[in-house]
Each structure stands twice: as structure tokens, then as C-alpha cells.
Amino acid sequence: MENIETGLLLMIVGMTTVFAILLIVIYLGKGLIVLVNKYAPEEIIVKKQVTPQRQAASAAGITNQTTAAIVSAVSIVTGGKGKVVKIEKM
């Protein structure tokens, strides 16, 4: 009976130790995130780019609404894997 009590005591001490160390790791990680966000915030870069499909579409005389419809249709059909590179009016 003494062996079972010793085993249970070791299990409880071990699990408590692991739980305490995990809590320390979690709170240190959260603190690190707060410090990094405070002293080194992410730079926001706003850059307006002319996509190749818009550039080609404007040269072909296709309106922005038509270009948006084509791009969204290709995205839906290909599941987001397709990309419109060039639009030509035939």
C-alpha cells in the first residue's frame, strides 16, 4: 500500500510541476508579445499597385466592373488557386 501512496504522491507533484512550468511559459510568451508590439510595431505599407489584369483590361477597353466580374469568376471556379494574368477582347 505504501508503494501506491508514493506513486500517487510523485504523480501529483510531477503534474503540478509541469502545470506550473506551462503557466510560466504561457505568461512569459504573452509578455514577450506585448513588449514586441509596444517597441517594434509592424510597419503598415500602403501601396496602390496596378495589377496586370487591370492594365491589360484598360488597354483593351474593358470596364472595371467587367474586370472584377472576370477575376471573381475565375477565383470561384478555381477555388482561389487561379490567377487572371491577361484579359483580351476578341
Side-chain angles (χ1 to χ4, degrees):
M1 195 65 161
E2 186 178 321
N3 288 337
I4 292 177
E5 290 175 7
T6 305
L8 287 174
L9 179 65
L10 283 173
M11 183 182 71
I12 290 171
V13 169
M15 291 178 73
T16 305
T17 304
V18 169
F19 184 73
I21 290 173
L22 286 175
L23 284 177
I24 291 170
V25 169
I26 289 170
Y27 287 118
L28 284 177
K30 286 183 180 182
L32 181 63
I33 289 171
V34 169
L35 284 174
V36 168
N37 286 337
K38 183 177 181 182
Y39 292 112
E42 183 178 344
E43 294 180 15
I44 300 173
I45 300 173
V46 179
K47 187 192 288 186
K48 185 175 182 181
Q49 296 178 349
V50 177
T51 58
Q53 66 262 23
R54 297 237 184 231
Q55 192 174 24
S58 63
I62 299 173
T63 64
N64 288 340
Q65 292 175 344
T66 307
T67 304
I70 293 171
V71 170
S72 64
V74 168
S75 177
I76 290 171
V77 169
T78 61
K81 295 180 182 178
K83 180 179 169 185
V84 177
V85 177
K86 186 175 182 183
I87 300 173
E88 290 183 9
K89 191 172 187 178
M90 300 181 90

